[in-house]
Amino acid sequence: MSLSNNTIARTYNKLFVELADPRTNDWFLITSPIPGLTIIYLYLQFVLKWGPRYMADKQPFQLQKTMVVYNFLQVLVSCWVFHEGLDAGWLRTYSWKCQPVDFSNTPEAIRVARGVYIYFLAKMTELLDTVFFVIRKKERQITFLHMYHHTVMPMISWGATKYYPGGHGTLIGVMNSFVHIIMYTYYMFAAMGPKYQRFFAWKRHITTLQMVQFCIAFLHSSQLLFYDCGYPRWSVVFTLPNSIFFYYLFYDFYYKSYKKPEEAKTNGQVNKENGLKDHPKIGNGTNEIKYQSDEKKIK
C-alpha cells in the first residue's frame, strides 16, 4: 500500500510540479487540476440536473441589465487579450511558421504568460453563458456544441497556462478573442432590446467567422509537422483533431440554423407557385384530398 502511494505521489509530482512552468504554476487555479475540474463538474451538474429541476416550476429570469453588463465585460476582456497577443508577440517578435515558448523571466515573456492566464480565466467565466441560459429557460441554446465548447476550452487553456504559456499555440487564443469581441458585442446589443434589432443580422456571420478561425488554426498548427523550433510537436495530436471537430460542429450548426430555413422557404415558394400550400402535413394524404376537392369546386 505504501509503495502504491509513493508511486501515485511521484507521478503526481512529475505531472503537476516538475513538468509545469514554475512561473505560472503557483497562480490561482493553476497549481492543481482539482479546483478547475471541480468547477466544471459543478457546472455540468447545474446545467444538466440542478438548474432545470430548480427552474421547472418557476418563471424565467429576465436579467436584462445583468446580461448587458456581463457581455460588456466579456468584450473588454477579449479586447485586452487580443491586444496583448498581438502587441506582445504576433505583430512584433513571433514567427508565423514556428514559435517556441520563452520560459525566461523577462518582462516580455511574463507578459505573454499573463495573457495566456487571463485567457484561461475568461474561459472559466464564460461558463456563466450556460448558467444564464438555464435560469432564463433558453434550453434550445444549450446544444452539444455549446456544452462541448464550454467544457473543453477551460481545460485546454488551463494546460496551456500551466505547461506552455506562450509560443505557437497562442495564436488560437488571439483569434478566438477577436471572434469573442464581435460575438459578445452582438449579445450585448441583443440584450438591450428590440431597438437594436438591426444588429441581429450579425449572428450568421459570427458563425462563419468561427469556422474560418478553425481553418486557420488547423493550417497554423499543421506547420509544427514540418518545422522544429522547440514547441512540442505532440500538441498537434490535440489541436488538429479538435480544429476539425469544432469546424464540423459549427458547420452543422450553421447549416441547421441558416441553410435549412432558406431551403424550406425556397421549397415553400415553389409549392405555392404550383398551387400547393406550404404546410408540414403535405404528402400524408390529408391535404391531397383537400386540393382535389378545391379543384372540383373551381371546375
Side-chain angles (χ1 to χ4, degrees):
M1 186 66 177
S2 177
L3 180 61
S4 177
N5 289 337
N6 288 336
T7 301
I8 294 174
R10 284 197 301 269
T11 302
Y12 183 91
N13 187 70
K14 178 72 174 179
L15 290 176
F16 301 113
V17 179
E18 295 179 18
L19 294 177
D21 186 337
R23 301 171 306 163
T24 61
N25 196 42
D26 293 331
W27 292 356
F28 177 63
L29 295 178
I30 300 300
T31 304
S32 168
I34 295 176
L37 290 176
T38 301
I39 292 173
I40 292 175
Y41 171 77
L42 294 175
Y43 159 78
L44 292 173
Q45 289 295 309
F46 177 84
V47 171
L48 300 176
K49 294 182 180 180
W50 303 334
R53 189 180 305 162
Y54 174 76
M55 293 299 299
D57 58 349
K58 294 178 176 60
Q59 292 297 316
F61 289 83
Q62 298 304 313
L63 303 178
Q64 181 180 11
K65 293 181 180 179
T66 301
M67 296 304 300
V68 172
V69 173
Y70 168 75
N71 290 309
F72 176 71
L73 292 176
Q74 291 291 357
V75 171
L76 289 183
V77 173
S78 297
C79 285
W80 186 88
V81 174
F82 180 65
H83 171 268
E84 287 293 286
L86 293 179
D87 191 60
W90 290 104
L91 288 184
R92 294 182 180 272
T93 59
Y94 271 28
S95 168
W96 291 87
K97 290 183 178 179
C98 185
Q99 178 63 41
V101 180
D102 184 354
F103 290 104
S104 70
N105 286 301
T106 62
E108 294 79 10
I110 295 297
R111 181 185 180 186
V112 173
R114 183 176 61 245
V116 175
Y117 177 60
I118 298 300
Y119 179 79
F120 157 70
L121 294 180
K123 297 302 107 180
M124 298 299 286
T125 63
E126 287 170 15
L127 298 178
L128 289 173
D129 289 356
T130 326
V131 173
F132 289 141
F133 282 149
V134 171
I135 62 178
R136 294 167 66 211
K137 289 195 170 182
K138 303 284 186 180
E139 293 86 358
R140 291 182 60 187
Q141 305 287 347
I142 307 175
T143 61
F144 173 77
L145 166 60
H146 179 90
M147 294 296 295
Y148 179 79
H149 181 268
H150 280 68
T151 303
V152 169
M153 290 306 296
M155 293 189 288
I156 292 176
S157 54
W158 177 86
T161 305
K162 188 175 181 68
Y163 300 105
Y164 296 99
H168 199 79
T170 59
L171 183 64
I172 297 174
V174 173
M175 290 191 299
N176 187 242
S177 296
F178 174 72
V179 173
H180 279 206
I181 292 171
I182 300 173
M183 184 183 75
Y184 281 109
T185 299
Y186 162 80
Y187 287 148
M188 182 176 68
F189 282 131
M192 289 179 179
K195 63 181 178 180
Y196 293 93
Q197 188 75 37
R198 64 183 181 276
F199 294 105
F200 292 178
W202 292 8
K203 191 172 183 181
R204 68 185 302 166
H205 302 304
I206 294 172
T207 307
T208 301
L209 193 59
Q210 288 169 322
M211 290 190 290
V212 170
Q213 88 172 309
F214 294 124
C215 291
I216 297 174
F218 180 88
L219 294 173
H220 185 255
S221 296
S222 296
Q223 294 182 108
L224 294 175
L225 299 173
F226 308 101
Y227 300 101
D228 184 10
C229 62
Y231 195 87
R233 283 183 167 179
W234 55 260
S235 62
V236 300
V237 174
F238 298 100
T239 56
L240 297 187
N242 211 40
S243 295
I244 295 172
F245 190 46
F246 268 126
Y247 180 88
Y248 168 76
L249 291 176
F250 274 93
Y251 176 79
D252 184 64
F253 169 79
Y254 184 91
Y255 178 76
K256 290 178 179 177
S257 299
Y258 308 114
K259 290 294 184 181
K260 275 192 173 181
E262 288 179 0
E263 291 176 2
K265 185 177 180 180
T266 302
N267 292 335
Q269 184 64 33
V270 171
N271 288 338
K272 289 177 182 178
E273 291 174 357
N274 291 332
L276 300 178
K277 292 184 178 179
D278 185 14
H279 195 285
K281 291 184 179 179
I282 287 179
N284 67 0
T286 305
N287 289 295
E288 291 174 1
I289 295 172
K290 183 181 184 301
Y291 298 136
Q292 291 171 2
S293 176
D294 290 341
E295 288 178 358
K296 290 179 180 178
K297 290 179 181 179
I298 292 173
K299 291 179 181 178

